[in-house]
Amino acid sequence: TTVAELKRKDRIKVAFVTDHAATWCGDKLYNMFANNPRFEPTIFLCRSEESTLDDSRHDFEQFKSRGLNAVAVFDENEETEPQDVIIFLRPYTDILPKNFRPAAMTPQTLWAHILYGFKVSSMDFDATQPLYRLAWKIFFETVAALKFFDKHCAIGVHRGVVSGYPRLDVLFDAAKQFSFPWKMTRPDATKIIWAPHWTIFDEDSPYYYGTFQHNFRFMYEFAKSHPETSWVVKPHPRLAFIAVKKGLFESAEAYEDYLQAWNDLPNAQVFTGGYYHDIFATSDGMIQDSGSFLAEYQYTHKPMIYLTRDERPFNELGKRILDVSYCVDGRDFDGIAALIRKVFVDGNDPLKDARQKLFDELLNYVKRNGMFASEFIFRAIADELEV
């Protein structure tokens, strides 16, 4: 078998494959492989049709600047060196270069998958991806996610285990010193993240929950007129593509001009790509209408304002988190402003204890497994390969 063959190899090549740095699973797991002489890890950063060349280059430089062995694969037909274990960070193999699609894989390669985000919506299209049928190991972030995929995947997920979410391991490290250069006009400014999602159109679909199309002007004007706040705008990687494709902005340049207007403010900046844990940890609160961030931000134990629309396509986990969040319609500008002042600026956070209780019940994977997610995943792979 492939596992038996890999056990006999002196060096086992491990590939991390993704098309966005924002889905990166974290340096901790990579370094566990890099620090073991039997493993040779490489990050293959692929460019999808929805990514601009500048964005892909920015993501690549993020990896290289941290000393990681990264390879840019920006051509669909580009040849890559064969790997022994491929860890996919997104399940959509059809958008990857041909060498990483199922048709190109041989029995000599083991496939694994780490979910790139928390499963908080009721959408089940992920479960149809070939990766869930072909993977050797699948690492789920929560018990709820594993149960969901086991129900919706045609053959179940008998190779799935609950590892936790390796990207967030760093937020469990009490000794970690976080820092981020927030742009502040006042030393006591309230630090706010705004993370708009890309699912902004098709009002008839129950699976769209983005509100950016309604409030993108309001959010900018609010930040501009409130110097007692400091902002980081963290748009979903797909937002630029969709906002232009659907005509919200007439061109990519117009969208970039909008982001530049934020960057030009003395109390705001735009951040794209991965490595946002420093922003999370140093912030005072988040405003968002996203999916995975709904759960990810819980690991900061800080308050969140969730911008809703009529449709609420959330599963049980998503609904439970929304119950301990401050929710307001994404078109209710007065309501948004009032919550920013009450919860973030004034620090009135009556849901704090309820959030902590929910976190310990459903999200605290370190408590559940007795180890970081990175260690769990590394050990699951290394132990079976007898490393």
Side-chain angles (χ1 to χ4, degrees), residues 109-148:
T109 302
L110 295 175
W111 287 25
H113 177 44
I114 299 172
L115 269 68
Y116 71 94
F118 279 79
K119 192 67 180 174
V120 295
S121 85
S122 56
M123 291 184 287
D124 60 4
F125 60 84
D126 283 353
T128 68
Q129 297 297 320
L131 183 59
Y132 292 108
R133 299 192 301 272
L134 302 172
W136 167 55
K137 293 184 182 296
I138 305 173
F139 298 101
F140 290 92
E141 76 285 5
T142 62
V143 174
L146 187 146
K147 289 181 178 178
F148 176 88

Side-chain angles (χ1 to χ4, degrees), residues 50 198-201 238-248:
E50 297 177 357
W198 66 271
T199 53
I200 56 177
F201 282 108
R238 287 197 76 197
L239 181 58
F241 176 80
I242 295 297
V244 174
K245 180 181 179 182
K246 295 290 188 176
L248 186 62

Side-chain angles (χ1 to χ4, degrees), residues 39-272:
F39 289 114
E40 184 180 326
T42 304
I43 303 167
F44 289 91
L45 178 65
C46 306
R47 182 188 170 203
S48 70
E49 64 174 7
E50 297 177 357
S51 300
T52 67
L53 186 57
D54 285 345
D55 284 344
S56 294
R57 286 171 174 165
H58 173 68
D59 287 352
F60 182 68
E61 289 305 318
Q62 277 193 314
F63 287 135
K64 297 298 287 186
S65 68
R66 300 176 74 90
L68 308 181
N69 179 30
V71 173
V73 188
F74 293 169
D75 184 337
E76 180 184 17
N77 298 308
E78 188 170 338
E79 293 294 323
T80 54
E81 190 174 349
Q83 301 292 306
D84 299 312
V85 179
I86 298 181
I87 301 173
F88 292 91
L89 303 183
R90 293 230 293 163
Y92 315 114
T93 53
D94 59 317
I95 68 173
L96 296 173
K98 291 181 179 179
N99 274 13
F100 295 114
R101 296 178 191 172
M105 293 297 157
T106 69
Q108 284 69 47
T109 302
L110 295 175
W111 287 25
H113 177 44
I114 299 172
L115 269 68
Y116 71 94
F118 279 79
K119 192 67 180 174
V120 295
S121 85
S122 56
M123 291 184 287
D124 60 4
F125 60 84
D126 283 353
T128 68
Q129 297 297 320
L131 183 59
Y132 292 108
R133 299 192 301 272
L134 302 172
W136 167 55
K137 293 184 182 296
I138 305 173
F139 298 101
F140 290 92
E141 76 285 5
T142 62
V143 174
L146 187 146
K147 289 181 178 178
F148 176 88
F149 279 91
D150 197 36
K151 177 181 178 181
H152 290 282
C153 188
I155 63 170
V157 286
H158 54 282
R159 293 177 295 276
V161 292
V162 180
S163 61
Y165 200 58
R167 189 191 308 170
L168 299 180
D169 283 351
V170 66
L171 295 180
F172 282 96
D173 186 354
K176 172 69 176 176
Q177 296 294 313
F178 295 99
S179 64
F180 184 78
W182 291 81
K183 290 170 64 179
M184 302 167 68
T185 57
R186 301 182 184 181
D188 60 345
T190 300
K191 299 182 285 295
I192 302 169
I193 304 167
W194 176 40
H197 202 245
W198 66 271
T199 53
I200 56 177
F201 282 108
D202 192 352
E203 299 289 341
D204 297 325
S205 171
Y207 300 142
Y208 284 69
Y209 37 80
T211 63
F212 178 80
Q213 72 276 32
H214 302 302
N215 54 46
F216 70 97
R217 294 186 183 90
F218 163 77
M219 299 298 282
Y220 170 79
E221 293 298 334
F222 184 94
K224 183 178 180 180
S225 61
H226 287 78
E228 75 278 12
T229 60
S230 175
W231 294 72
V232 166
V233 181
K234 181 72 174 68
H236 188 283
R238 287 197 76 197
L239 181 58
F241 176 80
I242 295 297
V244 174
K245 180 181 179 182
K246 295 290 188 176
L248 186 62
F249 289 84
E250 63 182 17
S251 64
E253 290 74 21
Y255 177 80
E256 289 299 323
D257 287 345
Y258 171 76
L259 296 185
Q260 187 58 48
W262 277 94
N263 280 323
D264 290 342
L265 292 178
N267 62 330
Q269 61 189 297
V270 176
F271 184 92
T272 59

Side-chain angles (χ1 to χ4, degrees), residues 18-25 59 62-63 116 165 167 234 237 272-276 293 296:
T18 188
D19 62 324
H20 285 297
T23 67
W24 177 233
C25 59
D59 287 352
Q62 277 193 314
F63 287 135
Y116 71 94
Y165 200 58
R167 189 191 308 170
K234 181 72 174 68
T272 59
Y275 299 106
Y276 46 79
F293 274 8
E296 289 185 49

